[in-house]
Amino acid sequence: MNEKKNSKILQIAKSLAVPVILCIVILVAVIFIINHKNATESGEAVAPYSFEGSTDEPVVLENDKLKLEMDPVTTQFSITVKDTGKVWYSNPQDAANDTVALPEEKANMQSPLIMSYSVATGLETTYNTHSYSTGNGIYNITKDGDSIRVDYSLGDVIKEYVIPPVITETEFDEWLGKMDKESVNFIQQYYKKYDINKLGKKDNEEELLANYPSLADNVIYVLRDKTKENVRKKMEKSFADVGYTYDDFLKDKELDLSTKSSDKPVFNVSVVYKLDGDDFVVEIPMKDLEYNENNPIYTLTPLPYFGAGGKDDEGYMFVPEGGGATINFNNGKVSQSSYYTNVYGWDMCLSRDAVVHNTRAYYGVFGVAEGNDSFICILEEGSPYASIQADISGKNNSYNYVNAVYSICQREQYDVGDIANSDVYEYVPSLPDETLTRRYSFINSGSYVDMAKKYGSYLQETYGDALKMNEDTQAPVAIEMVGAIDKVKQILGVPVKRPLKLTSYKEAGEIIKDLAANGVGNMSVKLTGWCNGGVDQRILKSVKTIGALGSKKDLKNLVKTGEENGAKVYLNGATQYAYDSNILDGFFSYTDAAKLISKEQAKLYEYSHITYAQRENSDHLYYLLHTDLSMKMVDNLNKAANKYGSGVAFQDLGEDLSSDFYRKKLQSRQSVLALQEEKFKAMNESGTPIMINMGNDYAVPYASMVTKMDLRGSEYTILDQCIPFYQLAVHGRVDYTGDSINVGGNQENELLYSAEYGAGLYFTFMKEDSFATQKTLYTDYYGANYDSWKDKMLAIYTRYNEELGHTFNQEMTGHENITEDLSRTEYADGTNVYVNYGYSDAQTPDGKTVPARDYLVVR
């Protein structure tokens, strides 16, 4: 009987063992996450700075172009442009009296730096330097040659008041003897008297002597810890009235060796200001950021209100939406959302549950124009962590401003189900030794054309011959040939993906010859879906052509056909992602995928257009590759292109930029940018022609052709004008196109955008009939049949080339939006291109008619 009972108990125990162990493991994991130590800093408290300089005179930096004058009390400053006398201010001059702003917003407007920190549950708190640093005297200013360094401590700490923290009885009586009776009675109640010979029962003699060594020989008075700030302020006045000075305070402070601890976090951030010729440079060394491991710095916003325009000022802000856009001061759109965009788009190594709209800028520049003066701010090192935001007056305050905020300690949310009552986040374990750098360039003009030209000069100085003028005599045209897609077929009753031919290598060659015979020149032919399964390309650990498209010899002949007909063929491939790949393709997700902060594999999904959530049940799961492996895939694609004598086209490199939190070799987004640029530069120097999509600013100088450049951006309501800012900077030096005209959406708009923004033309073709894409995931190619589009494409190209072909080796020198629907773009030889987006004819200022939904070229 007992044996059966014991056996039954043992069976029950065994059945419960696995669930119990699993629960313990999960619980331990949650506790670890919540209490995880950030490796950036040790557990020691952050020591705050203290101001040691003089407040009598401004701190000045000056050269022959600029003069910076900093108020040592607030660290606010002004910059005077000597050529014009224009003064730019770090903060609005009347911010404290703003009738619209609430107290916290007023403090933000008076702060040269704003930061936020977070905790394990994801709760964010914002600190500004006005309330949490300079206002408490926990900062320092150091001038060193041609730079000023401001060391900020930000924290909710008690301000240091000039009153004795510890004082001997003799000196205390001496100071009190100079005060009136009311002040004496008030002050005495906040000090505690200690006599080594008359200690109380609760007094610890050893601890007291350690904290106050002078107690051994003197009777002393110690300020009580819980003395409130308003009381300290009143006491400070009483002591000051009888001659108590800061030197007296420092002498008395030396008597106090006690350490006052606080559970309120303190953060140290250093900002370095430099004058570089006619530019103003701001740096934040990330190695000098100090924070408590449980309260990581989440964001930093240096100079959030630099150059802000008031409600009585006239001007505009420039933001990098598409080719560029402006927001007029005080435009009255107070019910619209503020402007916000991520530089280089989303970091794909950071998970997100839903995507409503992707924001991205492919260059990190913003600016302000006021009257006949302006500046642009160019984000240099650290730009991948930046987001650019702008807003108008009448919302939170009375000012119009644009700035860039940096994400510092990235984080990942854990799914802990019902175990925890709140969200749990883990933060990046360490920060890279990088410097957040931005450059303000001042322009003696309020024109966005001149602002763009200033940026263009900067790019030319930075990249040299990589951005020299091209020699195009015809309009560039990009032709994307779709080789193979995948389609599910039944093989012995089993559904299997197989490549489906849309355009063979030979057929692609015939299309090139046909286009050339019909006068199409300056062609860049992108061959997509030519290897490793087709458009949904498998990982490029080995590059294999697709038998259904032809032989390797056929592919070589295609490249040769291109050369013979004035076209450069580019072999297109994805190098940062693993699509439809498994161990048979050489892909092992455990070692080959990038890692999230949580150390999970970087699995990526499509997002629903209806719910905006991840479509985790879809078949289209793919992975972000580990950075080192991704760079090897770049080399493999380049080697394949060299083998066939073609150029190399990257589906993702130069457009997508992602970090990698791989435990053994963490790669920051900035370091990945450097690796990508290094690859582009090496290929460019070896003579390999490069084609990219979108065109992030660090990749464009090395590209022979950029396709799918976002010309117009998202036309948010808060914007007032769309302008070709970036194109004004690079036109004539880089060939670029917008979206594909025949498969990209509104065909008419794409052509008009191209005409206004000085872009080449882009078409997507396949030889098979459009019905071949039915019952596949590639219905985007439905309108890509070459035979159906040939005549229309030739008509578009012929006119475009005849009227605009001569402009592609020239700089774009002017642009204006004459009306809401009519724009004018000007080139170096005086050619003007008018574009009418309206549905009725429009008149130019000199009386010429621009037909509805058309363009007019005037030479």
Side-chain angles (χ1 to χ4, degrees):
M1 184 77 173
N2 288 334
E3 290 181 2
K4 290 183 179 180
K5 185 176 181 181
N6 291 337
S7 176
K8 190 171 184 180
I9 292 172
L10 184 61
Q11 288 178 354
I12 293 172
K14 287 181 178 180
S15 67
L16 291 174
V18 173
V20 168
I21 291 171
L22 184 60
C23 287
I24 291 172
V25 170
I26 294 173
L27 184 60
V28 169
V30 171
I31 293 172
F32 171 78
I33 293 165
I34 294 175
N35 297 285
H36 177 64
K37 301 291 186 184
N38 188 303
T40 306
E41 293 296 325
S42 67
E44 298 178 3
V46 175
Y49 297 108
S50 61
F51 185 62
E52 301 173 355
S54 170
T55 59
D56 297 333
E57 298 291 335
V59 186
V60 178
L61 283 181
E62 187 171 9
N63 62 20
D64 59 342
K65 298 290 185 181
L66 303 171
K67 183 178 182 180
L68 183 152
E69 297 175 273
M70 177 179 288
D71 180 350
V73 176
T74 64
T75 68
Q76 296 179 28
F77 60 88
S78 65
I79 292 182
T80 302
V81 181
K82 293 185 176 181
D83 285 349
T84 62
K86 171 65 177 177
V87 180
W88 296 97
Y89 294 99
S90 63
N91 301 83
Q93 293 301 283
D94 200 30
N97 300 316
D98 190 341
T99 57
V100 176
L102 295 173
E104 184 177 353
E105 182 63 21
K106 288 180 181 179
N108 287 340
M109 289 192 293
Q110 296 176 78
S111 301
L113 176 74
I114 297 174
M115 63 148 280
S116 71
Y117 72 91
S118 191
V119 295
T121 58
L123 181 67
E124 295 174 40
T125 303
T126 299
Y127 279 173
N128 59 69
T129 55
H130 177 77
S131 299
Y132 297 95
S133 183
T134 54
N136 294 334
I138 50 173
Y139 70 103
N140 195 28
I141 302 173
T142 307
K143 182 179 178 183
D144 183 14
D146 61 351
S147 68
I148 295 173
R149 179 184 174 107
V150 183
D151 297 312
Y152 292 107
S153 293
L154 296 99
D156 189 7
V157 298
I158 297 176
K159 180 181 177 180
E160 202 170 55
Y161 288 91
V162 185
I163 55 178
V166 178
I167 190 169
T168 64
E169 182 179 41
T170 303
E171 292 189 355
F172 192 52
D173 290 341
E174 184 180 334
W175 289 114
L176 293 183
K178 300 177 183 179
M179 300 180 190
D180 58 62
K181 187 174 181 181
E182 182 182 349
S183 296
V184 172
N185 292 335
F186 176 75
I187 290 173
Q188 282 181 327
Q189 62 183 313
Y190 294 103
Y191 280 88
K192 183 173 182 179
K193 182 179 178 180
Y194 288 105
D195 184 337
I196 194 66
N197 299 314
K198 298 179 181 179
L199 294 178
K201 292 181 180 180
K202 295 183 179 180
D203 294 330
N204 184 323
E205 180 178 342
E206 185 178 344
E207 183 180 335
L208 286 171
L209 286 171
N211 291 337
Y212 316 113
S214 60
L215 177 60
D217 303 311
N218 300 278
V219 176
I220 63 172
Y221 283 83
V222 178
L223 182 67
R224 297 182 187 274
D225 288 340
K226 295 184 179 180
T227 304
K228 294 184 177 179
E229 191 166 346
N230 63 324
V231 173
R232 293 170 187 257
K233 189 172 184 179
K234 185 176 179 180
M235 292 168 60
E236 183 180 57
K237 185 178 185 307
S238 297
F239 274 102
D241 288 344
V242 295
Y244 189 83
T245 66
Y246 189 71
D247 288 336
D248 295 318
F249 165 72
L250 293 177
K251 179 170 68 74
D252 291 334
K253 190 178 179 182
E254 291 178 357
L255 304 179
D256 184 8
L257 301 185
S258 63
T259 56
K260 306 291 192 300
S261 61
S262 172
D263 57 354
K264 295 180 179 179
V266 176
F267 307 86
N268 285 344
V269 181
S270 297
V271 184
V272 180
Y273 300 115
K274 297 178 180 179
L275 299 183
D276 182 13
D278 54 3
D279 291 347
F280 168 52
V281 179
V282 182
E283 298 176 345
I284 299 179
M286 294 180 75
K287 65 182 177 62
D288 293 336
L289 298 178
E290 295 182 284
Y291 52 88
N292 183 280
E293 56 207 9
N294 297 317
N295 306 108
I297 297 174
Y298 192 50
T299 65
L300 284 175
T301 311
L303 303 183
Y305 293 94
F306 186 88
K311 57 185 178 182
D312 297 323
D313 295 325
E314 293 187 4
Y316 59 86
M317 297 163 285
F318 160 71
V319 294
E321 183 59 35
T326 62
I327 304 172
N328 294 334
F329 286 179
N330 315 304
N331 66 14
K333 301 177 183 178
V334 293
S335 62
Q336 301 301 320
S337 299
S338 58
Y339 177 79
Y340 184 91
T341 192
N342 296 302
V343 178
Y344 309 136
W346 186 257
D347 184 339
M348 301 302 284
C349 211
L350 299 174
S351 63
R352 46 184 176 171
D353 295 328
V355 176
V356 177
H357 175 66
N358 270 314
T359 64
R360 67 166 297 129
Y362 48 92
Y363 56 103
V365 184
F366 62 88
V368 171
E370 184 179 322
N372 294 320
D373 298 278
S374 61
F375 71 80
I376 56 172
C377 179
I378 304 169
L379 304 179
E380 297 184 327
E381 186 176 358
S383 59
Y385 314 126
S387 299
I388 294 171
Q389 54 192 9
D391 212 348
I392 58 170
S393 65
K395 291 185 179 182
N396 299 320
N397 55 59
S398 299
Y399 293 90
N400 307 271
Y401 63 90
V402 57
N403 60 48
V405 54
Y406 296 101
S407 295
I408 304 301
C409 292
Q410 301 282 11
R411 66 188 184 187
E412 188 78 26
Q413 183 177 357
Y414 275 83
D415 182 7
V416 293
D418 298 328
I419 297 174
N421 293 324
S422 60
D423 295 333
V424 176
Y425 290 84
E426 183 177 1
Y427 292 80
V428 64
S430 61
L431 294 180
D433 184 5
E434 298 165 357
T435 301
L436 306 177
T437 307
R438 56 175 63 181
R439 177 179 298 270
Y440 293 82
S441 292
F442 302 97
I443 301 102
N444 302 336
S445 165
S447 165
Y448 59 76
V449 173
D450 293 329
M451 295 164 72
K453 287 302 176 184
K454 184 75 171 180
Y455 178 51
S457 297
Y458 167 83
L459 293 175
Q460 292 159 38
E461 291 173 10
T462 303
Y463 295 101
D465 288 343
L467 271 181
K468 64 183 179 182
M469 295 295 294
N470 65 43
E471 299 177 354
D472 289 349
T473 57
Q474 293 177 287
V477 57
I479 306 294
E480 181 173 7
M481 304 278 195
V482 185
I485 58 175
D486 59 272
K487 189 171 185 177
V488 176
K489 295 182 179 180
Q490 296 291 330
I491 299 179
L492 299 177
V494 179
V496 179
K497 282 185 179 181
R498 285 289 182 263
L500 175 65
K501 177 186 78 71
L502 297 184
T503 312
S504 69
Y505 304 139
K506 287 182 178 179
E507 289 168 340
E510 292 302 317
I511 291 174
I512 292 173
K513 287 193 285 186
D514 191 35
L515 290 172
N518 282 279
V520 179
N522 198 10
M523 274 189 288
S524 297
V525 178
K526 179 197 297 187
L527 189 59
T528 296
W530 66 278
C531 71
N532 289 33
V535 172
D536 196 24
Q537 169 217 294
R538 295 189 293 274
I539 190 170
L540 292 171
K541 282 200 171 179
S542 61
V543 182
K544 299 177 181 178
T545 57
I546 298 172
L549 303 184
S551 65
K552 294 179 180 179
K553 183 178 180 181
D554 292 335
L555 181 55
K556 284 186 177 181
N557 288 337
L558 165 60
V559 175
K560 185 178 180 182
T561 298
E563 292 174 353
E564 292 171 347
N565 289 272
K568 187 63 186 178
V569 175
Y570 295 79
L571 299 183
N572 188 36
T575 58
Q576 296 191 74
Y577 304 102
Y579 300 99
D580 194 26
S581 303
N582 55 43
I583 198 165
L584 298 177
D585 305 304
F587 176 71
F588 182 40
S589 63
Y590 183 78
T591 56
D592 294 343
K595 297 297 190 293
L596 307 179
I597 296 171
S598 61
K599 307 310 174 192
E600 296 177 4
Q601 298 168 21
K603 295 180 181 180
L604 304 174
Y605 300 89
E606 292 181 341
Y607 290 85
S608 168
H609 297 299
I610 299 171
T611 65
Y612 308 117
Q614 286 183 351
R615 298 172 62 183
E616 295 189 14
N617 295 326
S618 70
D619 295 331
H620 205 68
L621 162 69
Y622 60 108
Y623 292 85
L624 176 69
L625 293 180
H626 176 40
T627 302
D628 286 352
L629 180 59
S630 175
M631 293 301 106
K632 290 178 183 177
M633 299 306 98
V634 172
D635 292 338
N636 289 351
L637 182 60
N638 184 38
K639 288 176 184 176
N642 291 336
K643 174 182 176 181
Y644 292 103
S646 72
V648 58
F650 294 99
Q651 187 69 24
D652 43 33
L653 203 72
E655 177 179 10
D656 293 349
L657 180 65
S658 301
S659 47
D660 182 2
F661 302 102
Y662 200 79
R663 187 183 298 275
K664 295 181 180 179
K665 194 173 183 181
L666 189 147
Q667 294 281 4
S668 71
R669 212 177 182 206
Q670 177 70 45
S671 67
V672 175
L673 182 154
L675 290 172
Q676 287 191 13
E677 185 172 3
E678 185 181 322
K679 291 293 184 184
F680 283 127
K681 187 175 183 180
M683 287 183 284
N684 179 266
E685 290 176 349
S686 70
T688 302
I690 301 169
M691 181 186 290
I692 58 175
N693 287 322
M694 185 62 73
N696 290 342
D697 53 9
Y698 60 85
V700 166
Y702 307 108
S704 305
M705 168 62 79
V706 181
T707 56
K708 298 183 181 180
M709 183 176 280
D710 187 2
L711 302 178
R712 196 79 173 184
S714 298
E715 298 183 34
Y716 302 116
T717 308
I718 197 171
L719 305 178
D720 290 295
Q721 289 190 88
C722 293
I723 60 173
F725 179 93
Y726 188 78
Q727 290 70 30
L728 280 158
V730 303
H731 191 276
R733 301 176 185 278
V734 176
D735 286 340
Y736 55 88
T737 76
D739 283 336
S740 180
I741 291 176
N742 59 318
V743 299
N746 190 315
Q747 300 166 9
E748 209 170 49
N749 274 353
E750 285 302 328
L751 179 58
L752 296 179
Y753 295 158
S754 298
E756 181 185 2
Y757 285 72
L761 302 177
Y762 181 28
F763 298 91
T764 303
F765 292 135
M766 62 184 186
K767 186 61 178 176
E768 290 295 324
D769 189 272
S770 298
F771 292 105
T773 62
Q774 287 186 339
K775 296 183 180 180
T776 73
L777 298 174
Y778 303 94
T779 52
D780 288 349
Y781 296 131
Y782 188 78
N785 175 253
Y786 175 68
D787 294 326
S788 300
W789 251 91
K790 172 184 171 182
D791 292 341
K792 189 173 182 179
M793 179 268 178
L794 290 174
I796 291 171
Y797 170 80
T798 301
R799 180 194 168 196
Y800 198 82
N801 184 55
E802 287 176 353
E803 297 184 17
L804 285 168
H806 68 287
T807 64
F808 288 92
N809 58 8
Q810 300 181 45
E811 288 191 351
M812 189 185 292
T813 56
H815 179 272
E816 63 175 325
N817 287 307
I818 300 170
T819 68
E820 188 175 338
D821 292 327
L822 183 64
S823 69
R824 180 185 67 87
T825 305
E826 185 177 1
Y827 293 93
D829 68 350
T831 298
N832 284 284
V833 181
Y834 295 92
V835 177
N836 181 10
Y837 292 96
Y839 289 86
S840 59
D841 293 352
Q843 298 295 313
T844 67
D846 57 356
K848 294 182 174 62
T849 299
V850 185
R853 306 288 292 166
D854 204 352
Y855 62 91
L856 173 69
V857 180
V858 179
R859 299 181 67 175

